[in-house]
Amino acid sequence: LKKDIITVEGALDMVMRMRGVYYNRIDTEYIGRNVGVIAQEMQEVLPEIVRHDDQSDLYTVEYGKLTGVLIEAIKELKLEIEKLKKG
């Protein structure tokens, strides 16, 4: 079901450009602190995961699509750690 498969490269650099934030929503009755990212900031880093609704002018993040980038970033970190251990 998939074609043109390419491994994500530079994932650690992408993750380093992301900013995790705590926030409170002002458009719902839900009261409490949330954690996530700012969609407009993510659009600069990984536009593939950001959706914009022209009618409401709302931006949303498809968080599940971050998984592949995070997996590759962890693998890049592991390689760096292994290089440091070898000296």
Side-chain angles (χ1 to χ4, degrees):
L1 295 175
K2 297 175 180 155
K3 66 178 189 173
D4 302 325
I5 297 169
I6 301 168
T7 300
V8 175
E9 293 184 10
L12 185 54
D13 289 334
M14 271 189 248
V15 170
M16 293 303 297
R17 292 173 47 211
M18 296 176 189
R19 179 172 72 116
V21 297
Y22 291 110
Y23 62 92
N24 291 312
R25 293 203 44 163
I26 60 173
D27 65 335
T28 67
E29 292 183 21
Y30 172 78
I31 298 173
R33 189 162 83 160
N34 291 287
V35 63
V37 296
I38 304 299
Q40 292 85 337
E41 292 177 3
M42 290 302 294
Q43 195 167 25
E44 295 177 18
V45 178
L46 198 59
E48 297 87 348
I49 71 166
V50 178
R51 297 289 167 256
H52 179 250
D53 182 331
D54 290 328
Q55 290 182 340
S56 64
D57 197 33
L58 289 176
Y59 290 82
T60 56
V61 175
E62 297 183 66
Y63 285 95
K65 291 184 176 182
L66 271 173
T67 306
V69 173
L70 298 175
I71 289 169
E72 292 304 314
I74 291 168
K75 290 161 74 174
E76 288 177 23
L77 278 175
K78 186 174 185 326
L79 287 175
E80 287 185 21
I81 291 168
E82 288 173 355
K83 285 179 188 176
L84 288 171
K85 283 182 177 179
K86 290 180 183 177

